[in-house]
Amino acid sequence: MPYLYTTPEDQAAMLAAIGASSLDDLFAMVPPELRLNRPLNLPPALTELELTQHMAALAARNEHAGTKVCFLGGGSYDHFIPAAVDELAGRGEFYTSYTPYQAEVSQGNLQVVFEYQSLITRLTGLDVSNASLYDGGSAAAEGVLMAVSSTNRYGKVVVAASVHPEYRQTITTYLKDLGIEVVTVGTPTGVVRPQDLAAVVDDKTACIVVQQPNFFGCIEDAASLASIAHDAGALVVAAFDPISLGLLKRPGDWGADIAVAEGQSLGTPMQYGGPYLGIMACREKLIRRMPGRIAGETVDRRGRRCFVLTLQTREQHIRREKATSNVCTNQGLFALRATIYLALLGPQGLKETANLCLQKSHYCASLLCNGVPLAPPVPPRQHRQPQPPTTADSSLHTSGATGSASASLAASTTSTSHNSRFQLAFAAPTFKEFVLRDKQDRVDELLHQALDAGFLAGVPLGQWYPELNDCFLVAVTEKRTKSEIESLARSLD
Amino acid sequence: MRNTRDTKLLFELSEAGRRAHRLPACDVPERPVSELVPANMLAAEPPALPELSEPQVVRHFANLSQLNISVDTHFYPLGSCTMKYNPKRNERIARLPGFADLHPYQPESTIQGMLQMLYELQEYLQEISGLDACSLQPAAGAHGELTALWVAAAYFRDESLKTGGERRTKVLVPDSAHGTNPASASMAGFTTVTVKTLTSGALDMDDLARHLDDEVAVFMITNPNTVGIFEPNMREIADRIHQAGGLVYLDGANMNAILGIARPGDFGADMQHYNPHKTFSGPHGGGGPGAGPICVTEKLAPYLPTPVVVRVEGRESRVEGQKSNPTPSLALDPRPSTLDRYALDYARPQSIGRVRAFFGNVGVLLRAYCYIRTHGPDGLRRVSENAVLNANYLLSRVKHFLPVPQGDRCMHEFVASASKLKSDKGIAAMDIAKRLLDFGFHAPTVYFPLSVKEAIMIEPTETESKETLDAFAETLFNVVGEAPDVLHDAPHTTTISRPDDVRAARQPVLTYKSSNATA
Ligand SMILES: Cc1ncc(COP(=O)(O)O)c(C=O)c1O
């Protein structure tokens, strides 16, 4: 066997030291009638070469973001991952270690967690972060449990229909056996209308759960929603997209008390849905209710700064059934990746990434709804528009000359066709995703055609929202080029 | 050799205006952000992230990595965590774009290789556990516990509807159980009742009898248990729980001891989780990821989370969302018919729903699949034989100088006690753990299980050589004989000495603030 290296001589010596006559004798404490007296029914062993070939053959039966241009979103995105993230997180000293129980030989991991927590609080505008939870969905559910226990309101929680449907399903699962009602606020306009929220939030409500930008890519009037909750004494649990915070107001700045997120966007590959990174941050006063591990700064016996796991009296290994959560193994490796990713991007990189997502998704939406450029396809390199040499700042936050120049450029390269097949399902402003309505109501067929043309064009929404059966969700990250977007528009036309 | 400059905090290394990653210029016509985002939702400036160059970032994290002990670099006998070798081949395979770059909402027709792998893994895990159905969705062992308890709750809800009986509210947990067991039970809405264990590590059958009644929903047992023995009364325990109408949950953290030797389904479990990051060599990632697939008996299968992967045989025409019932043995054919298709089955009306977003911790499951395929049936059995051989060998050497209350034999791990050293010389389990670090060994798990005083839980795993075990035993022997003061001050050679945990908890500093000390 490839990972064993006890020689027959070693084995004999070891058995002798133990006082056992055979390997079988070592299992004497397993009652004979409970043993499996046949080989497991599994395929035979493969050598490294055979395994590699077998797995390559399986991998070859999958399409992926490298073989089809990916416009899929809905909580997992094809963002760019700088090479340094892979190289550093691929160091065995990181990925083959475990939870830093022994601080003296885990300062690397502990400092990373401390840096991660610091970055997350800066990103969210909240006071504290934990070391990670499983994923965005379970982090949302844990956030709700935290709100319930800290408000002591075991009556109900109010969740917007514009929150990721799988997060809502997860929340429902987590609450079902605790007798807490989950009330869903409909979002027919793609965002929560304040009056609809106000109608269901009351003094039995532990929290509201909203997502910003929401599952449809729309930007909610989050501050108004937060004040409705706060007026009723409820907390605000906010799911957010970390990339959006290059431009959008931070959850803590618009009133979120507990912010949760899927952190996959921050340097983790899509890998068919996991492992990802559950982010959670909250206000200081809620910290004793926070689930999961937390690192803190302290000093060693010689007074040197160091880091340890702290506030452990919240956790299962100390409090058992009274713990704030059962979480033990978390997603440390992806917290590391997020830390490296954010360190590489810095404030400017995050802002530019967010802006590219914003611009490209709007370009894509307008192309799909208003018309396709007249120009024939040109290889992307030659096609790239010369950019005015502006600093990112002037192009981002002012609506000066550059802006209007670009707008007229957009007008000149698109034909305005009035009978486009698509329209935006919602009028609300969007960030990097948008919902398209197919006027011909043939979404499945359409996405199938797009696939044949080389595109993973969108996520059909009917599976979660029957009323949006004629709609699909399109995500455009910084990776998508103008020519890819234009080819998509042509192939869908 | 330690580089203390580059291991300053990222924020201390930051210099305004520095850039690492640069983005391409915007190639689409750009519109003013203020036209696209409502003013009240627009940030005045981006978050205050540190500003660094790429070489700085690389040097920072490369140096930090060197402050860790890891399986790649050191013996890591952390009991209950199964810190075995993490095969490099699995890492390379997991990075193949055909696995790493799959979006979770791709159409099924585009992910047939992925679904085949996941389907086969479900089948392998069922075969290894002796149970009938599998969900790959849970994200870690504890998440698997919680998921299975929700499954049990849903099952009993249906049962009480059928029989008109009261709902069962209690979960029994031995005092030697991992903390996640009682924590999961409360999260699922149950009341936890603790059952005592004996010095031998076996369950106290009289105490079990005292607590067993018709309110008991689930008995959670770890077998081999956390003391490292195979529960001597396993069959009787399971029978009694079943007679009382309850279900038996097996915490599968210790499956490394019994692969191909005994199967939970055969010794009475109705449900179990696996920790593929332990048993099947998934790297622990500095704290995670893990995965927590669960297997259950047939009667519980309808309650598993959605979706599960099903195989639709080639000759049948496929109906979307149809509940299909594949024949288990087929999946074990290494070359299934190319006409077969794999699909995600969502049409499961009794399911508890979802326990997370997306399919599961696929990257971890993929490595488990590779591990199982690498070993085959004989290889998996040899893994367990060698894990048990190594643990017993170490036990045979250690018991002469450090008492092991459970006796002379163990499965994959054993628990020594520093209780006598503590009362005689004031040497605690923690002192021993810390001193081992000086000699280049990761410490064993200490103070768990709670049922053993001053517990030192040692799990060598099968991927260590006799030489390493001998060196560890000799070091441990020397450490135990050292002057108490040397131990109280240990470790002496690590980058830091013992941290002040009390200060960390009393005056929590959980994020960097520019006023932080830069000692
Ligand atoms: C006995 C036992 N049960 C349950 C768990 C929980 O598993 P995980 O950490 O994967 O959530 C662990 C591991 O930490 C364990 O050792």
Side-chain angles (χ1 to χ4, degrees):
Chain A
M1 283 302 113
Y3 319 126
L4 303 178
Y5 45 105
T6 304
T7 63
E9 293 73 38
D10 287 343
Q11 187 176 308
M14 290 163 84
L15 286 172
I18 297 164
S21 56
S22 64
L23 282 180
D24 216 40
D25 183 23
L26 291 177
F27 291 92
M29 68 172 82
V30 182
E33 69 279 11
L34 300 188
R35 295 200 208 167
L36 178 72
N37 291 312
R38 61 161 174 87
L40 287 167
N41 181 14
L42 295 172
L46 301 176
T47 62
E48 179 171 2
L49 175 58
E50 290 165 314
L51 177 76
T52 303
Q53 287 168 337
H54 172 73
M55 297 308 286
L58 283 176
R61 295 186 58 204
N62 301 321
E63 302 289 354
H64 54 84
T67 58
K68 303 277 178 197
V69 185
C70 182
F71 288 90
L72 304 183
S76 175
Y77 302 94
D78 183 26
H79 286 292
F80 183 71
I81 301 174
V85 176
D86 284 332
E87 295 298 322
L88 291 167
R91 291 181 69 96
E93 299 93 327
F94 279 132
Y95 80 80
T96 75
S97 61
Y98 195 29
T99 306
Y101 298 117
Q102 297 296 336
E104 296 87 342
V105 292
S106 313
Q107 281 301 296
N109 283 335
L110 283 161
Q111 183 170 331
V112 168
V113 175
F114 184 80
E115 291 179 339
Y116 166 81
Q117 292 172 181
S118 306
L119 290 166
I120 294 303
T121 56
R122 285 167 182 235
L123 203 58
T124 55
L126 287 164
D127 306 315
V128 285
S129 158
N130 69 9
S132 72
L133 293 170
Y134 303 137
D135 80 316
S138 57
E142 289 272 13
V144 169
L145 291 180
M146 215 177 136
V148 167
S149 66
S150 54
T151 54
N152 211 11
R153 292 180 175 185
Y154 287 79
K156 70 175 176 190
V157 304
V158 173
V159 185
S162 53
V163 169
H164 195 304
E166 293 187 352
Y167 296 10
R168 289 189 280 121
Q169 290 165 353
T170 305
I171 291 169
T172 304
T173 307
Y174 271 71
L175 295 189
K176 177 130 82 255
D177 293 314
L178 304 178
I180 301 162
E181 190 190 358
V182 180
V183 176
T184 306
V185 182
T187 51
T189 59
V191 289
V192 184
R193 289 179 300 204
Q195 66 271 28
D196 295 345
L197 184 70
V200 290
V201 171
D202 58 25
D203 62 2
K204 299 204 168 42
T205 308
C207 65
I208 64 163
V209 185
V210 292
Q211 184 173 338
Q212 177 77 321
N214 68 26
F215 181 70
F216 306 124
C218 298
I219 299 174
E220 302 269 5
D221 182 6
S224 307
L225 307 180
S227 57
I228 291 170
H230 289 154
D231 287 348
L235 295 177
V236 177
V237 177
F240 66 95
D241 171 2
I243 296 292
S244 73
L245 298 177
L247 288 174
L248 299 192
K249 220 174 239 178
R250 305 179 301 173
D253 294 339
W254 58 252
D257 302 291
I258 299 167
V260 295
E262 176 46 71
Q264 177 270 335
S265 292
L266 304 176
T268 291
M270 297 188 289
Q271 45 190 345
Y272 194 56
Y276 285 174
L277 167 65
I279 295 176
M280 177 182 272
C282 68
R283 299 206 183 275
E284 179 117 50
K285 62 172 198 267
L286 298 172
I287 185 145
R288 303 270 160 190
R289 308 277 179 179
M290 193 156 206
R293 306 203 187 279
I294 298 176
E297 183 186 309
T298 184
V299 290
D300 75 354
R301 289 193 177 168
R302 274 170 271 172
R304 289 175 300 195
R305 177 172 73 185
C306 61
F307 305 95
V308 292
L309 293 175
T310 193
L311 305 180
Q312 298 193 61
T313 48
R314 301 164 298 109
E315 289 186 63
Q316 45 77 25
H317 59 289
I318 313 266
R319 289 297 292 280
R320 299 176 79 81
E321 66 272 13
K322 295 196 184 66
T324 55
S325 163
N326 66 341
V327 63
C328 175
T329 293
N330 59 21
Q331 301 289 117
L333 189 62
F334 308 101
L336 168 69
R337 292 183 75 100
T339 307
I340 301 168
Y341 180 87
L342 289 170
L344 289 167
L345 261 72
Q348 208 54 40
L350 187 67
K351 181 167 152 183
E352 287 173 24
T353 303
N355 184 52
L356 287 174
C357 294
L358 179 80
Q359 298 294 345
K360 289 172 186 241
S361 64
H362 279 82
Y363 181 67
C364 185
S366 75
L367 222 51
L368 288 167
C369 298
N370 302 331
V372 180
L374 298 168
V378 184
R381 225 164 246 303
Q382 301 157 33
H383 200 88
R384 187 169 286 166
Q385 298 293 339
Q387 285 301 304
T390 52
T391 67
D393 262 328
S394 68
S395 63
L396 290 192
H397 290 307
T398 63
S399 49
T402 335
S404 19
S406 306
S408 58
L409 197 66
S412 72
T413 53
T414 57
S415 75
T416 331
S417 90
H418 294 287
N419 53 359
S420 165
R421 177 167 174 178
F422 307 111
Q423 68 188 56
L424 285 174
F426 306 117
T430 58
F431 172 57
K432 71 181 181 195
E433 281 169 284
F434 52 89
V435 176
L436 280 186
R437 172 161 283 128
D438 174 18
K439 292 178 202 160
Q440 297 176 17
D441 193 7
R442 296 208 308 262
V443 171
D444 283 345
E445 190 188 312
L446 177 86
L447 294 177
H448 197 83
Q449 280 165 11
L451 186 64
D452 290 342
F455 298 94
L456 293 163
V459 179
L461 291 181
Q463 56 188 317
W464 299 294
Y465 302 91
E467 70 281 12
L468 299 179
N469 206 34
D470 54 349
C471 293
F472 60 104
L473 181 68
V474 180
V476 188
T477 69
E478 78 284 5
K479 278 176 78 172
R480 298 289 73 84
T481 62
K482 182 163 184 272
S483 88
E484 286 171 342
I485 294 168
E486 290 172 356
S487 309
L488 173 74
R490 266 190 300 278
S491 84
L492 291 185
D493 201 39
Chain B
M1 272 228 332
R2 189 179 164 201
N3 176 347
T4 50
R5 264 187 329 279
D6 289 294
T7 52
K8 283 191 204 155
L9 289 168
L10 287 172
F11 308 92
E12 295 160 353
L13 296 168
S14 171
E15 200 65 66
R18 259 192 210 134
R19 290 287 303 261
H21 184 59
R22 284 185 186 276
L23 290 129
C26 186
D27 60 352
V28 301
E30 215 167 327
R31 293 169 59 190
V33 172
S34 57
E35 270 178 26
L36 303 177
V37 178
N40 68 341
M41 269 302 146
L42 205 53
E45 51 194 29
L49 304 177
E51 297 177 68
L52 302 153
S53 72
E54 181 168 328
Q56 251 186 323
V57 171
V58 169
R59 201 164 277 168
H60 175 75
F61 288 100
N63 274 290
L64 283 184
S65 77
Q66 294 180 345
L67 305 181
N68 290 337
I69 275 188
S70 67
V71 173
D72 270 4
T73 57
H74 293 78
F75 180 44
Y76 211 127
L78 190 66
S80 208
C81 299
T82 316
M83 301 300 288
K84 62 169 73 178
Y85 171 67
N86 305 134
K88 297 299 171 192
R89 65 191 68 171
N90 299 354
E91 295 306 304
R92 186 166 68 183
I93 288 166
R95 281 196 296 268
L96 291 174
F99 296 125
D101 296 336
L102 265 61
H103 189 281
Y105 294 145
Q106 280 182 224
E108 283 170 11
S109 66
T110 67
I111 51 169
Q112 286 297 304
M114 175 60 85
L115 293 180
Q116 180 182 335
M117 183 279 287
L118 294 170
Y119 177 78
E120 289 175 0
L121 182 62
Q122 288 175 177
E123 299 283 315
Y124 302 163
L125 295 178
Q126 286 160 209
E127 166 67 6
I128 295 167
S129 67
L131 290 164
D132 307 315
C134 177
S135 167
L136 300 176
Q137 198 173 97
H143 206 214
E145 295 167 16
L146 183 54
T147 304
L149 290 171
W150 281 324
V151 165
Y155 166 78
F156 284 118
R157 199 177 303 122
D158 278 2
E159 285 297 291
S160 65
L161 282 179
K162 267 186 237 156
T163 61
E166 289 287 303
R167 263 185 71 194
R168 293 171 176 256
T169 53
K170 285 193 217 161
V171 168
L172 302 188
V173 177
D175 58 10
S176 57
H178 196 263
T180 52
N181 290 191
S184 299
S186 349
M187 280 182 86
F190 291 106
T191 313
T192 305
V193 178
T194 307
V195 182
K196 291 197 187 88
T197 55
L198 308 169
T199 313
S200 67
L203 193 75
D204 181 336
M205 296 300 281
D206 296 332
D207 204 41
L208 175 66
R210 267 193 291 282
H211 294 300
L212 192 55
D213 56 28
D214 60 7
E215 287 174 20
V216 172
V218 180
F219 180 67
M220 296 181 87
I221 186 165
T222 311
N223 190 29
N225 68 20
T226 59
V227 174
I229 65 158
F230 194 93
E231 191 61 56
N233 303 310
M234 185 63 229
R235 189 71 250 182
E236 193 191 333
I237 294 168
D239 289 346
R240 285 218 211 158
I241 304 295
H242 290 149
Q243 277 153 21
L247 296 170
V248 175
Y249 180 79
L250 182 103
D251 178 329
N254 296 336
M255 286 300 287
N256 210 41
I258 55 168
L259 300 171
I261 308 257
R263 305 192 306 169
D266 297 342
F267 59 68
D270 302 286
M271 347 176 234
Q272 80 156 105
H273 78 254
Y274 286 91
N275 302 70
H277 44 304
K278 301 179 181 184
T279 314
F280 303 125
S281 80
H284 283 73
I294 58 170
C295 290
V296 300
T297 53
E298 191 150 21
K299 71 176 176 195
L300 299 173
Y303 302 97
L304 287 177
T306 49
V308 296
V309 188
V310 294
R311 178 154 77 180
V312 185
E313 282 175 52
R315 33 202 148 73
E316 296 165 25
S317 70
R318 181 166 150 265
V319 185
E320 198 75 45
Q322 171 194 308
K323 193 172 173 204
S324 72
N325 229 340
T327 11
S329 65
L330 281 175
L332 304 179
D333 174 355
R335 278 156 296 132
S337 148
T338 47
L339 293 175
D340 290 342
R341 289 184 33 84
Y342 298 87
L344 294 170
D345 182 6
Y346 287 94
R348 304 171 57 82
Q350 287 167 281
S351 165
I352 60 161
R354 276 196 164 275
V355 300
R356 54 165 297 159
F358 306 127
F359 184 85
N361 279 2
V362 176
V364 181
L365 300 169
L366 177 74
R367 288 167 175 85
Y369 178 91
C370 289
Y371 187 83
I372 294 170
R373 294 303 304 258
T374 297
H375 286 83
D378 301 338
L380 287 183
R381 191 183 160 102
R382 290 200 51 199
V383 162
S384 289
E385 287 170 352
N386 280 272
V388 172
L389 175 69
N390 278 0
N392 276 284
Y393 178 65
L394 206 49
L395 169 61
S396 76
R397 297 209 49 176
V398 166
K399 66 182 183 194
H400 304 295
F401 55 86
L402 205 54
V404 178
Q406 72 198 64
D408 286 347
R409 286 292 180 85
C410 64
M411 296 293 281
H412 63 297
E413 68 189 354
F414 63 92
V415 182
S417 168
S419 181
K420 191 158 169 353
L421 272 175
K422 179 107 194 258
S423 50
D424 291 357
K425 299 211 254 166
I427 296 172
M430 189 60 88
D431 297 324
I432 296 170
K434 295 296 184 195
R435 185 62 175 146
L436 284 168
L437 306 176
D438 277 329
F439 298 97
F441 294 110
H442 195 281
T445 295
V446 285
Y447 303 106
F448 172 68
L450 305 180
S451 54
V452 178
K453 289 217 174 64
E454 294 294 322
I456 302 177
M457 183 191 225
I458 304 176
E459 180 180 18
T461 85
E462 72 283 4
T463 58
E464 298 297 332
S465 65
K466 179 169 177 292
E467 298 94 283
T468 303
L469 303 179
D470 285 335
F472 179 76
E474 274 148 36
T475 304
L476 190 56
F477 174 77
N478 292 336
V479 163
V480 166
E482 283 187 300
D485 284 351
V486 174
L487 269 66
H488 293 151
D489 289 341
H492 302 271
T493 59
T494 47
T495 30
I496 59 159
S497 57
R498 274 195 219 189
D500 187 342
D501 288 314
V502 176
R503 168 173 156 155
R506 293 249 172 91
Q507 309 157 36
V509 178
L510 310 177
T511 58
Y512 172 78
K513 311 227 166 50
S514 43
S515 57
N516 286 26
T518 53

